[in-house]
Amino acid sequence: MQPVDVQVIGTELAIKWQDGCESYIPLERLRRACPCAMCQGEGDLLGHRAVPLQPPLTTASFALRALHRVGSYGLRPEWADGHATGIYPFELLRRLGQGSVESPR
């Protein structure tokens, strides 16, 4: 599923999908769900997950500076605090906005 339009509206990321559904993801939820190894930890060959040492999040942590498309599968946000390593696959974005997804009419 591909987005056809992506915009920041206030404190939410608004995504219109190919099937006509729309998702509204609060920027704070988006940042807290960052899938990068620094935020979520990283597994080793034995299946152990290293616990990430995250710096405390501030107001700048939830302010979006830019949004970049990554290939045909995701988006990479740049946050005002400088964090920019998380690539959000479209499937993850759809799940994060699940509570706000409406059926096409």
Side-chain angles (χ1 to χ4, degrees), residues 31 38 58 60-61 63 65 76-86:
R31 175 59 188 270
M38 186 174 92
T58 66
S61 302
R65 187 182 327 163
R76 182 181 59 83
E78 281 183 42
W79 300 97
D81 67 356
H83 185 67
T85 57

Side-chain angles (χ1 to χ4, degrees), residues 52-69:
L53 297 174
Q54 289 185 343
L57 298 175
T58 66
T59 305
S61 302
F62 308 118
L64 201 55
R65 187 182 327 163
L67 197 59
H68 305 280
R69 191 162 181 132

